């Protein structure tokens, strides 16, 4: 049976609101939570991008039991992997062992701000591979010195090390990233219900490990309003990750999606209050072999009605999958 989680989407809500939302998600019965780690929203209409790690620290204190996770952090441009290791170890201690560190090769949208350029996907995966090795080594609590192709680490050490290191999740989208995840990850992350990604992960050493997916929905009793909001704020998603990893600014996503119609979005994202539509979308992940599914409610101002509906109606239906 899949565990159902809640997404704190930093692109669509401010920091105080995000913490309040995850508190309500815990109360509603969600089994885990994830947070995006962005420096820009995908579209200007979303309007937010607070620092995810500060939100996580507050969420760790405001909640009691719900697991926390980054979905996902890029440890190669904005952040040096040694800094990520320190942040993740601290979060694991603050949360009492509830933190999972999700990692990925990133998007130009968030990483361009440090002015280091945007190399090919192959190079970005090389950098991720090296970064994960550094993070793992630092979780051991010893001094670490590495002189790699992409990163230098000189006598780094974590002085506050959790008894159990945060499990590492790695986002995948193709064979190379699946191979990397199979070597390094404690769980795999994918945003589409593609069985072939999980099979590739298993073949590279991931068999038996958790696999986490993410599903956007747009709850609203008025289906037309839900479709309009999903189109306004989530039409970027239909561009696919090969495009979404490359564009540097929200204006580029707005231009790239200018011809996307509301009906196109409604075909890809469950909109309205039809529980069966959400269950069927979730079923695709269950049948592909996912163990965890994080829901994204579209619209920062529409989280609390969604959470009430999820508690009373949606979560009971999803638990019957």
């Amino acid at each position: 049976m899949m565990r159902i989680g809640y997404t704190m989407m930093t692109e669509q809500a401010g920091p105080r609101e995000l913490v309040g939302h995850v508190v309500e998600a815990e109360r509603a019965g969600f089994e885990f939570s994830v947070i995006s780690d962005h420096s820009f929203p995908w579209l200007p209409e979303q309007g937010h991008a607070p620092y995810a790690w500060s939100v996580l620290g507050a969420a760790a204190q405001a909640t009691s039991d719900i697991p926390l996770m980054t979905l996902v952090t890029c440890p190669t441009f904005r952040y040096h992997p040694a800094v990520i290791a320190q942040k993740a170890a601290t979060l694991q201690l603050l949360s009492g062992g509830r933190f999972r560190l999700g990692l990925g090769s990133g998007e130009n949208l968030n990483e361009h701000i440090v002015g280091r350029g945007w190399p090919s996907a192959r190079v970005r995966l090389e950098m991720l591979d090296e970064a994960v090795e550094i993070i793992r080594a630092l979780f051991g609590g010893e001094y670490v010195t590495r002189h790699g192709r992409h990163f230098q680490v000189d006598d780094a050490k974590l002085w506050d090390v959790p008894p159990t290191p945060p499990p590492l999740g790695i986002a995948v989208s193709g064979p190379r990233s699946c191979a990397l995840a199979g070597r390094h990850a404690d769980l795999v992350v994918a945003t589409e219900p593609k069985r072939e990604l999980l099979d590739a992960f298993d073949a590279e050493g991931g068999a038996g490990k958790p696999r986490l997916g993410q599903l956007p929905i747009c709850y609203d009793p008025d289906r037309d309003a839900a479709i309009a909001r999903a189109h306004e704020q989530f039409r970027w998603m239909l561009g696919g990750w090969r495009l979404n990893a490359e564009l540097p600014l929200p204006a580029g996503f707005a231009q790239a999606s200018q011809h996307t119609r509301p009906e196109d979005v409604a075909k890809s994202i469950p909109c309205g209050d039809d529980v069966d539509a959400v269950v069927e979308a979730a079923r695709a992940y269950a049948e592909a072999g996912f163990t965890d599914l994080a829901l994204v409610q579209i619209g920062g101002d529409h989280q609390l009605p969604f959470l009430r509906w999820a508690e009373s109606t949606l979560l009971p239906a999803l638990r019957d999958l």
Side-chain angles (χ1 to χ4, degrees):
M1 189 165 63
M2 279 195 309
R3 299 195 314 155
I4 304 300
Y6 173 76
T7 300
M8 292 180 278
M9 191 172 182
T10 60
E11 302 94 291
Q12 63 179 15
R16 292 180 65 88
E17 290 76 17
L18 290 164
V19 174
H21 296 160
V22 75
V23 168
E24 290 301 312
E26 180 179 57
R27 189 196 61 76
F30 281 90
E31 296 168 281
F32 67 94
S33 67
V34 301
I35 188 169
S36 55
D37 187 353
H38 272 236
S39 60
F40 276 82
W42 296 100
L43 292 167
E45 292 88 346
Q46 291 177 321
H48 293 276
Y51 185 53
W53 291 87
S54 296
V55 175
L56 281 168
Q61 298 304 294
T63 59
S64 300
D65 300 308
I66 191 168
L68 307 166
M69 180 179 178
T70 52
L71 193 70
V72 290
T73 286
C74 176
T76 53
F77 289 90
R78 279 183 298 155
Y79 310 131
H80 190 282
V83 176
I84 290 292
Q86 185 185 30
K87 294 196 290 189
T90 300
L91 244 301
Q92 183 74 327
L93 289 167
L94 282 172
S95 66
R98 290 185 282 141
F99 182 62
R100 296 186 291 182
L101 175 59
L103 300 172
S105 59
E107 298 98 17
N108 197 12
L109 175 70
N110 303 303
E111 310 308 323
H112 77 270
I113 63 172
V114 294
R116 294 181 58 195
W118 192 240
S120 68
R122 179 186 60 79
V123 173
R124 300 199 304 268
L125 286 173
E126 284 180 3
M127 296 174 73
L128 179 60
D129 200 346
E130 196 172 312
V132 172
E133 291 182 352
I134 292 168
I135 292 167
R136 285 278 196 203
L138 285 166
F139 282 166
E142 304 298 326
Y143 282 98
V144 174
T145 295
R146 296 287 177 92
H147 300 290
R149 179 175 180 182
H150 300 286
F151 297 105
Q152 305 295 310
V153 181
D154 293 315
D155 287 331
K157 175 181 170 63
L158 299 183
W159 289 89
D160 291 276
V161 182
T164 302
L168 296 186
I170 293 180
V172 300
S173 59
R176 285 195 297 250
S177 55
C178 287
L180 190 157
R183 290 194 304 274
H184 293 302
D186 300 305
L187 65 149
V188 68
V189 177
T191 57
E192 297 177 278
K194 292 183 175 180
R195 180 75 205 199
E196 60 267 26
L197 294 175
L198 303 186
D199 289 342
F201 174 64
D202 289 349
E204 297 291 344
K209 296 178 180 178
R211 50 278 325 271
L212 189 154
Q214 192 174 43
L215 173 66
I217 69 173
C218 195
Y219 164 76
D220 197 296
D222 182 338
R223 186 169 187 269
D224 290 338
I227 292 172
R229 186 166 72 249
H231 177 260
E232 177 193 54
Q233 298 194 22
F234 246 72
R235 63 187 185 276
W236 60 272
M237 195 189 75
L238 273 65
W241 288 107
R242 194 176 290 270
L243 171 67
N244 293 343
E246 303 298 330
L247 298 178
L249 292 169
F253 285 92
Q255 183 175 6
S257 61
Q258 63 181 320
H259 299 301
T260 301
R261 303 170 301 171
E263 53 265 37
D264 299 327
V265 174
K267 290 178 182 177
S268 300
I269 296 172
C271 294
D273 60 356
D274 183 351
V275 173
D276 290 340
V278 180
V279 169
E280 285 309 304
R283 190 185 307 280
Y285 286 86
E287 292 178 348
F290 285 81
T291 60
D292 298 55
L293 182 64
L295 303 182
V296 184
Q297 161 66 357
I298 297 171
D301 296 334
H302 296 79
Q303 299 301 303
L304 296 182
F306 162 73
L307 289 166
R308 289 193 292 269
W309 178 68
E311 180 180 14
S312 66
T313 306
L314 180 61
L315 289 177
L318 289 172
R319 291 186 183 115
D320 288 338
L321 266 178

